[in-house]
Amino acid sequence: MTSSTLIKSFERAKEDNRAALLTYTVGGDPDKKTSLNIFKSIADSGVDIIECGLGHGANIGDGGAIQDSTYRALSNGIKTNDIFEIIEEFKKDYETDVIIMTYQNKIMAYGEDDFLKRCISSKVSGIICVDWPWPLNLDFAKKCKENSIVFIQLLCPTTNEDRLKSILNDAHEVVYYISMLSTTGQKLKVSSDEIKKRFNLIKKISPHKKCIIGFGITADTINDFKDTDACVVGSALCREITRSIDEELNPATNVGNMVSDLKQKLSS
Amino acid sequence: MTSSTLIKSFERAKEDNRAALLTYTVGGDPDKKTSLNIFKSIADSGVDIIECGLGHGANIGDGGAIQDSTYRALSNGIKTNDIFEIIEEFKKDYETDVIIMTYQNKIMAYGEDDFLKRCISSKVSGIICVDWPWPLNLDFAKKCKENSIVFIQLLCPTTNEDRLKSILNDAHEVVYYISMLSTTGQKLKVSSDEIKKRFNLIKKISPHKKCIIGFGITADTINDFKDTDACVVGSALCREITRSIDEELNPATNVGNMVSDLKQKLSS
Amino acid sequence: MKLEKGIPLIDQHDENGYWGGKFGGNQIAESLNYPIEELTREFEKLRNDETFISERDYYFKNFVGAPTPFIKLENLTKHLGGAQIYCKLVSKATGGAHKAYNAVVHSLICKRLGKTYIGGDTGAGYAGKMLSMAAAKFNLKCKIFMGAKDVERQSINVFSMRSYGAEVIPVNSGSQTLVDAVSECMRWWTSENEEAHMCVGSTVGPTIFVKICAWSTAQISREMKKQVMDEFGEVPKDMKLINCVGGGSSAAGFWNEWIDYDNIELIGVEAGGPEGSSKHAAPLTNDSRIGVLHGATQYVIQDDQGEIEETESISAGLDYPGVSPLHCFLKETGRARYTSASDEEALEAFQLVSKNEGFVSPSLEPSHAFAEAIKIAPKLSKDTIIVVDSCGDSAKDSKIIAERLGYKI
Amino acid sequence: MKLEKGIPLIDQHDENGYWGGKFGGNQIAESLNYPIEELTREFEKLRNDETFISERDYYFKNFVGAPTPFIKLENLTKHLGGAQIYCKLVSKATGGAHKAYNAVVHSLICKRLGKTYIGGDTGAGYAGKMLSMAAAKFNLKCKIFMGAKDVERQSINVFSMRSYGAEVIPVNSGSQTLVDAVSECMRWWTSENEEAHMCVGSTVGPTIFVKICAWSTAQISREMKKQVMDEFGEVPKDMKLINCVGGGSSAAGFWNEWIDYDNIELIGVEAGGPEGSSKHAAPLTNDSRIGVLHGATQYVIQDDQGEIEETESISAGLDYPGVSPLHCFLKETGRARYTSASDEEALEAFQLVSKNEGFVSPSLEPSHAFAEAIKIAPKLSKDTIIVVDSCGDSAKDSKIIAERLGYKI
Ligand SMILES: Cc1ncc(COP(=O)(O)O)c(C=O)c1O
Ligand SMILES: Cc1ncc(COP(=O)(O)O)c(C=O)c1O
């Protein structure tokens, strides 16, 4: 059961007395081979869980840095199958959990059942779908569960307490807390303390669910979140990929260095 | 009394068994000196009466050929005084009668009384004012008469019989019959016979008034009108001036030749 | 010179067609005497013909879109902090300006005359566009005369006219602008008046054209009177009606029903042109000399030779060297006050109004009227009602305004 | 899937916001859940609030200019020789199209929500222009998202928006057109929804936006129903209502009051694009696949990867890869029939209508609807009434049309 490995990744970090580190980069950016190398480099640099974006052009949640990555991948002809193949390849050599983050239309276009089948065969641990909110996603979430894939519900600062409780009640082992009202890659506009207050509320309601904190976290702030369950850095990495490509440097190496640095900050 | 010389010009032609020949050209076109030469050349070629246009930019009765002449004169800086000077110069050497054809605003701008004074001093025989219709023109016509200048009333195909009679009743010795509804310089769109029918009606009402026929007459049709009182050729001459200037020929000579030809056609 | 009460302004001329014995008239070629008499006779019949009136009203309502809104400019009033500013949104009439009233009426008259062909002049293209629209609707052949320069710079309007089936004739004489287009249109009518009817685009030209045009635009004040009563319950004691004046058709229509109310001030705003320039299109403000233009006596911008002088204004619609005999008359009798606004003031007024009001985006012509309102409003009390006729929509001027304000278009 | 009688179309969705259990919904990021719930609650209150309704009606009348004319196209009817052709001249609404209804309602809602900032998307610029106008009027800060390509080719509209004080944000992602502008606008709202309100420019987006927009444009059929009764004395037995469909807001409003009348045929015309091309903006006609776009389930022009495909239409307003859930629902229930017209057919229709009618000069969007009317009218009897919604004015398209027809502009 892949879902159990995902939980283990969190627990391993907890044992280290730190939050788990997640990275978000767009699968296939800029091409299949480089993307696989980036994942490997990230894994080698000590990440706990990899979030792999299955980019969508008409997304309504990505900030500029991730949009750039998405358009680069899409215009290089990357298809959904390519993403699965990258993950499949990656998982041949690595234990690191991979979560797919995507938009509903990508899943619909592939076919829900086919999508899940391919998740299993390529050893995807979980799915985040930005524009498939609770409770509309419950049928699909159930299917995920039946296939031992964690469907990760999203929560945010304006999710009121009733709704929070209901979502948590239906949620699988892992949830995702969007730290602020924004798209990805914007400056953190709420204080780390405020975020942790909400995080604690979630944990109070569901002590046994792992809660990933995302949006706006960079090397500057990551240390604030070391005593949470997990946090994601995304846009900063995507920007690094863009920079590396523009300056004809090796994105895998540079992203890897960045991840090492993040990991260290989180551990210190 | 200049007005009596004007009548004499008509009578001389009648004695020749032909209509009097009038030419219309724009005074000062293209400049003072050339314009004077053109008038002299026209007179030398046997014209009976010269109509001298005092051109107005915002005219509402001139066709394209005469407009071209007008704009040439105006843009060369020709002023009303220049026209009077040309006529004055001309009259030093020639007996040929000169009539001014103009628009009301030119007279207003000069001042009615000043205008008449200058007509007298430069020996102008008559005035045609295109946009000063009967009965609005009666006061001014009276002033003309008092100064022995013939104010020439205009008539046209749609002047109904009542109006025709009233106008003729008020008219001085000479009237002008606009042969068709049009601006100057258009093709004759009514038959010569029809024009002569109206001419005869006018003569029936006022046998002693001389009636000039104008608009649309060229070398091709002038012979049709030999048994009337008088006819005017204008646009054809203006066009010849334009052509001569464009081809750098002498307009005075060419216009003179044209007038000789017209005179011959009218006499044969 | 005296204004009579109880008699429509358009009827206060003498037997020769002169207002105040002096302005207007029919200084035309003899060839136009008959059609003008015919038109005068026909119009006198039609304006008393109930079927015709209800036909007119039907098309005013259904095509021109009467009544146009009468609204308070709350934001602008607050911003200026003085008189209350209202606006008659004539720009919502079909085609975006008041020119449609005259076009509809002339088309209806043309049909009554049994003619199937109509011609008209146009400067910026409004009058021509609306005449083409009306002509298409009423199945009339249509010819529009337009200065060659205007054809170039208003090419979009030329295309519109053509798409309505009109023939657009570029006029190459003189300054190649409106003044020449009107002249050429009159020349054309001189030739074609047996078959064709002519529409003059403003309250200018021979008397009957002044009358028909002002009679048509009078719809503006007729409907506004009701709106004023609805809003205030009575005629406000202190009211000022501000209108731009080019030819003067818009102002004549906006004021028509109010002329007998002595307490209502009528303010006409002419085009003052660029600051520092002297080529103003403001014959009334500048006390220019009286002359004859396009068949009528009026104040005309002219040189000492009686030649029309080129004028200069940012607003194509006001760029005309003459002005309606009606306004010459209203000026000399002291009934209306005339002033001018510069290009720069008009532009500023456009910006201030657009930003504050949104729904009201005046073209450059009424922006001149707004400029005057903006000038005087702050000094006036809250009890004063200013009504500006926003007689044109800025759409047609976007390019000019954008360029002037430094936007890249 | 079944249509209910006696229930407004906009209310025939299930608790999750799906019409027919399938189209629409709120496929949005969690961050938008709260503002959408808030807006849904507020709208349900406001639509039953008499003060709000009379406020809406006041602005519809005085600013949008309701009612717009309902007229018979006599010349076109005669020319085609079949069904009687009528036209609802919505193009006479403020700004020249139906987009003003939605803009006014959203601005009023924004104020009621106590928000002072409003943002919206725009393609050709109509929706953005009218939102900017309304925002200026109601004193709201305004931000308009527009594809960078559209900013370039519709620069005049960009200028207008700016002159109303709006901030225009060029969107550089993707195809740099409307689809990306909507995405970016939603992203912006995701960040700013605590302070700001969002207006979606058509009956697309999350359910509540579909509802508000269709509720706003319903004014069209509400006023038209009275006009139809005035004209015919009864609801005609055989009537066909033809409307172009881009997002679908115009058609939804034009049909709203007539949905329960089974004898009235509803015909939607999508953009068929250039003849011979396959990039049609016609998701309903082409039976494209169902997908999620901008938060709602609908027919979407997309490739097998779920990526939105570029569409191609001469009419900027119809150039959208999705279509309102309302129309997906009307199609699947069989209540409305959908077809398409090509660029060429629309152009021809534009010419035929302009030349015959004059007052009606449809923009390229309604020209698609006219194309269908022209196709079917000759085969129908005189007892059939065809009503075309002429929902846009050609002014905005002059340049495109002129170029296509070979005029030099
Ligand atoms: C919007 C607008 N206002 C005013 C005018 C000036 O004409 P008038 O003074 O006759 O109203 C024009 C002329 O084109 C115009 O288009
Ligand atoms: C005139 C006009 N008609 C139709 C449309 C298409 O939108 P909808 O289908 O939402 O009415 C637009 C969009 O901009 C438009 O401007």
Side-chain angles (χ1 to χ4, degrees), chain D residues 231-245:
Chain D
E231 176 80 14
F232 304 106
E234 57 172 0
V235 174
K237 290 222 187 53
D238 185 5
M239 186 156 85
K240 295 177 195 302
L241 305 181
I242 310 184
N243 208 117
C244 63
V245 175

mmCIF file with all atom_site columns, all heavy atoms in Angstrom, chain D residues 231-245:
data_model
loop_
_atom_site.group_PDB
_atom_site.id
_atom_site.type_symbol
_atom_site.label_atom_id
_atom_site.label_alt_id
_atom_site.label_comp_id
_atom_site.label_asym_id
_atom_site.label_entity_id
_atom_site.label_seq_id
_atom_site.pdbx_PDB_ins_code
_atom_site.Cartn_x
_atom_site.Cartn_y
_atom_site.Cartn_z
_atom_site.occupancy
_atom_site.B_iso_or_equiv
_atom_site.pdbx_formal_charge
_atom_site.auth_seq_id
_atom_site.auth_comp_id
_atom_site.auth_asym_id
_atom_site.auth_atom_id
_atom_site.pdbx_PDB_model_num
ATOM 1   N N   . GLU D 1 231 ? -46.900 44.586 -29.745 1.00 0.00 ? 231 GLU D N   1
ATOM 2   C CA  . GLU D 1 231 ? -46.843 44.473 -31.206 1.00 0.00 ? 231 GLU D CA  1
ATOM 3   C C   . GLU D 1 231 ? -47.880 43.498 -31.738 1.00 0.00 ? 231 GLU D C   1
ATOM 4   O O   . GLU D 1 231 ? -48.531 43.758 -32.735 1.00 0.00 ? 231 GLU D O   1
ATOM 5   C CB  . GLU D 1 231 ? -45.434 44.026 -31.631 1.00 0.00 ? 231 GLU D CB  1
ATOM 6   C CG  . GLU D 1 231 ? -45.234 43.773 -33.108 1.00 0.00 ? 231 GLU D CG  1
ATOM 7   C CD  . GLU D 1 231 ? -45.023 45.063 -33.895 1.00 0.00 ? 231 GLU D CD  1
ATOM 8   O OE1 . GLU D 1 231 ? -44.768 46.104 -33.265 1.00 0.00 ? 231 GLU D OE1 1
ATOM 9   O OE2 . GLU D 1 231 ? -45.157 45.025 -35.136 1.00 0.00 ? 231 GLU D OE2 1
ATOM 10  N N   . PHE D 1 232 ? -48.028 42.349 -31.055 1.00 0.00 ? 232 PHE D N   1
ATOM 11  C CA  . PHE D 1 232 ? -48.882 41.290 -31.612 1.00 0.00 ? 232 PHE D CA  1
ATOM 12  C C   . PHE D 1 232 ? -50.177 41.080 -30.830 1.00 0.00 ? 232 PHE D C   1
ATOM 13  O O   . PHE D 1 232 ? -51.059 40.354 -31.281 1.00 0.00 ? 232 PHE D O   1
ATOM 14  C CB  . PHE D 1 232 ? -48.122 39.963 -31.673 1.00 0.00 ? 232 PHE D CB  1
ATOM 15  C CG  . PHE D 1 232 ? -46.838 40.037 -32.451 1.00 0.00 ? 232 PHE D CG  1
ATOM 16  C CD1 . PHE D 1 232 ? -45.607 40.032 -31.813 1.00 0.00 ? 232 PHE D CD1 1
ATOM 17  C CD2 . PHE D 1 232 ? -46.856 40.121 -33.842 1.00 0.00 ? 232 PHE D CD2 1
ATOM 18  C CE1 . PHE D 1 232 ? -44.419 40.109 -32.518 1.00 0.00 ? 232 PHE D CE1 1
ATOM 19  C CE2 . PHE D 1 232 ? -45.674 40.198 -34.563 1.00 0.00 ? 232 PHE D CE2 1
ATOM 20  C CZ  . PHE D 1 232 ? -44.452 40.195 -33.897 1.00 0.00 ? 232 PHE D CZ  1
ATOM 21  N N   . GLY D 1 233 ? -50.252 41.662 -29.647 1.00 0.00 ? 233 GLY D N   1
ATOM 22  C CA  . GLY D 1 233 ? -51.456 41.466 -28.833 1.00 0.00 ? 233 GLY D CA  1
ATOM 23  C C   . GLY D 1 233 ? -51.485 40.119 -28.132 1.00 0.00 ? 233 GLY D C   1
ATOM 24  O O   . GLY D 1 233 ? -52.314 39.867 -27.259 1.00 0.00 ? 233 GLY D O   1
ATOM 25  N N   . GLU D 1 234 ? -50.595 39.234 -28.509 1.00 0.00 ? 234 GLU D N   1
ATOM 26  C CA  . GLU D 1 234 ? -50.519 37.907 -27.892 1.00 0.00 ? 234 GLU D CA  1
ATOM 27  C C   . GLU D 1 234 ? -49.126 37.346 -28.174 1.00 0.00 ? 234 GLU D C   1
ATOM 28  O O   . GLU D 1 234 ? -48.375 37.925 -28.952 1.00 0.00 ? 234 GLU D O   1
ATOM 29  C CB  . GLU D 1 234 ? -51.568 36.975 -28.502 1.00 0.00 ? 234 GLU D CB  1
ATOM 30  C CG  . GLU D 1 234 ? -51.393 36.870 -30.017 1.00 0.00 ? 234 GLU D CG  1
ATOM 31  C CD  . GLU D 1 234 ? -52.269 35.807 -30.667 1.00 0.00 ? 234 GLU D CD  1
ATOM 32  O OE1 . GLU D 1 234 ? -53.026 35.127 -29.955 1.00 0.00 ? 234 GLU D OE1 1
ATOM 33  O OE2 . GLU D 1 234 ? -52.174 35.661 -31.899 1.00 0.00 ? 234 GLU D OE2 1
ATOM 34  N N   . VAL D 1 235 ? -48.810 36.242 -27.545 1.00 0.00 ? 235 VAL D N   1
ATOM 35  C CA  . VAL D 1 235 ? -47.549 35.589 -27.881 1.00 0.00 ? 235 VAL D CA  1
ATOM 36  C C   . VAL D 1 235 ? -47.749 34.875 -29.221 1.00 0.00 ? 235 VAL D C   1
ATOM 37  O O   . VAL D 1 235 ? -48.636 34.036 -29.355 1.00 0.00 ? 235 VAL D O   1
ATOM 38  C CB  . VAL D 1 235 ? -47.147 34.572 -26.790 1.00 0.00 ? 235 VAL D CB  1
ATOM 39  C CG1 . VAL D 1 235 ? -45.915 33.811 -27.235 1.00 0.00 ? 235 VAL D CG1 1
ATOM 40  C CG2 . VAL D 1 235 ? -46.896 35.284 -25.466 1.00 0.00 ? 235 VAL D CG2 1
ATOM 41  N N   . PRO D 1 236 ? -46.979 35.230 -30.229 1.00 0.00 ? 236 PRO D N   1
ATOM 42  C CA  . PRO D 1 236 ? -47.172 34.622 -31.552 1.00 0.00 ? 236 PRO D CA  1
ATOM 43  C C   . PRO D 1 236 ? -47.082 33.094 -31.477 1.00 0.00 ? 236 PRO D C   1
ATOM 44  O O   . PRO D 1 236 ? -46.283 32.555 -30.701 1.00 0.00 ? 236 PRO D O   1
ATOM 45  C CB  . PRO D 1 236 ? -46.030 35.193 -32.379 1.00 0.00 ? 236 PRO D CB  1
ATOM 46  C CG  . PRO D 1 236 ? -45.630 36.449 -31.688 1.00 0.00 ? 236 PRO D CG  1
ATOM 47  C CD  . PRO D 1 236 ? -45.876 36.196 -30.233 1.00 0.00 ? 236 PRO D CD  1
ATOM 48  N N   . LYS D 1 237 ? -47.873 32.434 -32.282 1.00 0.00 ? 237 LYS D N   1
ATOM 49  C CA  . LYS D 1 237 ? -47.910 30.968 -32.246 1.00 0.00 ? 237 LYS D CA  1
ATOM 50  C C   . LYS D 1 237 ? -46.598 30.376 -32.703 1.00 0.00 ? 237 LYS D C   1
ATOM 51  O O   . LYS D 1 237 ? -46.148 29.367 -32.195 1.00 0.00 ? 237 LYS D O   1
ATOM 52  C CB  . LYS D 1 237 ? -49.037 30.466 -33.154 1.00 0.00 ? 237 LYS D CB  1
ATOM 53  C CG  . LYS D 1 237 ? -50.386 30.782 -32.575 1.00 0.00 ? 237 LYS D CG  1
ATOM 54  C CD  . LYS D 1 237 ? -51.369 29.617 -32.727 1.00 0.00 ? 237 LYS D CD  1
ATOM 55  C CE  . LYS D 1 237 ? -52.728 30.109 -32.270 1.00 0.00 ? 237 LYS D CE  1
ATOM 56  N NZ  . LYS D 1 237 ? -53.130 31.374 -32.987 1.00 0.00 ? 237 LYS D NZ  1
ATOM 57  N N   . ASP D 1 238 ? -46.061 31.003 -33.737 1.00 0.00 ? 238 ASP D N   1
ATOM 58  C CA  . ASP D 1 238 ? -44.850 30.427 -34.321 1.00 0.00 ? 238 ASP D CA  1
ATOM 59  C C   . ASP D 1 238 ? -43.750 31.483 -34.277 1.00 0.00 ? 238 ASP D C   1
ATOM 60  O O   . ASP D 1 238 ? -43.682 32.371 -35.122 1.00 0.00 ? 238 ASP D O   1
ATOM 61  C CB  . ASP D 1 238 ? -45.171 30.016 -35.767 1.00 0.00 ? 238 ASP D CB  1
ATOM 62  C CG  . ASP D 1 238 ? -43.998 29.297 -36.402 1.00 0.00 ? 238 ASP D CG  1
ATOM 63  O OD1 . ASP D 1 238 ? -42.997 29.053 -35.689 1.00 0.00 ? 238 ASP D OD1 1
ATOM 64  O OD2 . ASP D 1 238 ? -44.078 28.990 -37.595 1.00 0.00 ? 238 ASP D OD2 1
ATOM 65  N N   . MET D 1 239 ? -42.909 31.366 -33.265 1.00 0.00 ? 239 MET D N   1
ATOM 66  C CA  . MET D 1 239 ? -41.876 32.389 -33.077 1.00 0.00 ? 239 MET D CA  1
ATOM 67  C C   . MET D 1 239 ? -40.537 31.700 -32.842 1.00 0.00 ? 239 MET D C   1
ATOM 68  O O   . MET D 1 239 ? -40.461 30.679 -32.156 1.00 0.00 ? 239 MET D O   1
ATOM 69  C CB  . MET D 1 239 ? -42.244 33.295 -31.899 1.00 0.00 ? 239 MET D CB  1
ATOM 70  C CG  . MET D 1 239 ? -41.309 34.471 -31.703 1.00 0.00 ? 239 MET D CG  1
ATOM 71  S SD  . MET D 1 239 ? -42.065 35.885 -30.827 1.00 0.00 ? 239 MET D SD  1
ATOM 72  C CE  . MET D 1 239 ? -41.820 35.420 -29.133 1.00 0.00 ? 239 MET D CE  1
ATOM 73  N N   . LYS D 1 240 ? -39.499 32.271 -33.432 1.00 0.00 ? 240 LYS D N   1
ATOM 74  C CA  . LYS D 1 240 ? -38.151 31.719 -33.271 1.00 0.00 ? 240 LYS D CA  1
ATOM 75  C C   . LYS D 1 240 ? -37.233 32.832 -32.770 1.00 0.00 ? 240 LYS D C   1
ATOM 76  O O   . LYS D 1 240 ? -37.197 33.914 -33.342 1.00 0.00 ? 240 LYS D O   1
ATOM 77  C CB  . LYS D 1 240 ? -37.630 31.211 -34.611 1.00 0.00 ? 240 LYS D CB  1
ATOM 78  C CG  . LYS D 1 240 ? -38.417 30.027 -35.172 1.00 0.00 ? 240 LYS D CG  1
ATOM 79  C CD  . LYS D 1 240 ? -37.882 29.616 -36.540 1.00 0.00 ? 240 LYS D CD  1
ATOM 80  C CE  . LYS D 1 240 ? -38.870 28.700 -37.250 1.00 0.00 ? 240 LYS D CE  1
ATOM 81  N NZ  . LYS D 1 240 ? -39.204 27.471 -36.506 1.00 0.00 ? 240 LYS D NZ  1
ATOM 82  N N   . LEU D 1 241 ? -36.510 32.548 -31.713 1.00 0.00 ? 241 LEU D N   1
ATOM 83  C CA  . LEU D 1 241 ? -35.607 33.541 -31.128 1.00 0.00 ? 241 LEU D CA  1
ATOM 84  C C   . LEU D 1 241 ? -34.159 33.142 -31.408 1.00 0.00 ? 241 LEU D C   1
ATOM 85  O O   . LEU D 1 241 ? -33.687 32.129 -30.893 1.00 0.00 ? 241 LEU D O   1
ATOM 86  C CB  . LEU D 1 241 ? -35.842 33.649 -29.624 1.00 0.00 ? 241 LEU D CB  1
ATOM 87  C CG  . LEU D 1 241 ? -37.284 33.948 -29.181 1.00 0.00 ? 241 LEU D CG  1
ATOM 88  C CD1 . LEU D 1 241 ? -37.355 34.055 -27.652 1.00 0.00 ? 241 LEU D CD1 1
ATOM 89  C CD2 . LEU D 1 241 ? -37.801 35.218 -29.830 1.00 0.00 ? 241 LEU D CD2 1
ATOM 90  N N   . ILE D 1 242 ? -33.498 33.931 -32.193 1.00 0.00 ? 242 ILE D N   1
ATOM 91  C CA  . ILE D 1 242 ? -32.131 33.571 -32.604 1.00 0.00 ? 242 ILE D CA  1
ATOM 92  C C   . ILE D 1 242 ? -31.109 34.479 -31.931 1.00 0.00 ? 242 ILE D C   1
ATOM 93  O O   . ILE D 1 242 ? -31.225 35.698 -31.963 1.00 0.00 ? 242 ILE D O   1
ATOM 94  C CB  . ILE D 1 242 ? -31.974 33.667 -34.136 1.00 0.00 ? 242 ILE D CB  1
ATOM 95  C CG1 . ILE D 1 242 ? -33.121 32.903 -34.822 1.00 0.00 ? 242 ILE D CG1 1
ATOM 96  C CG2 . ILE D 1 242 ? -30.621 33.130 -34.569 1.00 0.00 ? 242 ILE D CG2 1
ATOM 97  C CD1 . ILE D 1 242 ? -32.997 32.857 -36.330 1.00 0.00 ? 242 ILE D CD1 1
ATOM 98  N N   . ASN D 1 243 ? -30.108 33.871 -31.359 1.00 0.00 ? 243 ASN D N   1
ATOM 99  C CA  . ASN D 1 243 ? -29.089 34.614 -30.613 1.00 0.00 ? 243 ASN D CA  1
ATOM 100 C C   . ASN D 1 243 ? -27.721 33.977 -30.819 1.00 0.00 ? 243 ASN D C   1
ATOM 101 O O   . ASN D 1 243 ? -27.602 32.759 -30.876 1.00 0.00 ? 243 ASN D O   1
ATOM 102 C CB  . ASN D 1 243 ? -29.427 34.583 -29.115 1.00 0.00 ? 243 ASN D CB  1
ATOM 103 C CG  . ASN D 1 243 ? -28.901 35.793 -28.375 1.00 0.00 ? 243 ASN D CG  1
ATOM 104 O OD1 . ASN D 1 243 ? -29.680 36.573 -27.845 1.00 0.00 ? 243 ASN D OD1 1
ATOM 105 N ND2 . ASN D 1 243 ? -27.599 35.984 -28.353 1.00 0.00 ? 243 ASN D ND2 1
ATOM 106 N N   . CYS D 1 244 ? -26.710 34.809 -30.904 1.00 0.00 ? 244 CYS D N   1
ATOM 107 C CA  . CYS D 1 244 ? -25.361 34.253 -30.950 1.00 0.00 ? 244 CYS D CA  1
ATOM 108 C C   . CYS D 1 244 ? -24.978 33.761 -29.556 1.00 0.00 ? 244 CYS D C   1
ATOM 109 O O   . CYS D 1 244 ? -25.500 34.234 -28.554 1.00 0.00 ? 244 CYS D O   1
ATOM 110 C CB  . CYS D 1 244 ? -24.359 35.281 -31.442 1.00 0.00 ? 244 CYS D CB  1
ATOM 111 S SG  . CYS D 1 244 ? -24.202 36.708 -30.360 1.00 0.00 ? 244 CYS D SG  1
ATOM 112 N N   . VAL D 1 245 ? -24.068 32.814 -29.521 1.00 0.00 ? 245 VAL D N   1
ATOM 113 C CA  . VAL D 1 245 ? -23.638 32.258 -28.243 1.00 0.00 ? 245 VAL D CA  1
ATOM 114 C C   . VAL D 1 245 ? -22.113 32.218 -28.182 1.00 0.00 ? 245 VAL D C   1
ATOM 115 O O   . VAL D 1 245 ? -21.463 31.517 -28.976 1.00 0.00 ? 245 VAL D O   1
ATOM 116 C CB  . VAL D 1 245 ? -24.193 30.834 -28.029 1.00 0.00 ? 245 VAL D CB  1
ATOM 117 C CG1 . VAL D 1 245 ? -23.624 30.222 -26.751 1.00 0.00 ? 245 VAL D CG1 1
ATOM 118 C CG2 . VAL D 1 245 ? -25.721 30.856 -27.961 1.00 0.00 ? 245 VAL D CG2 1
#
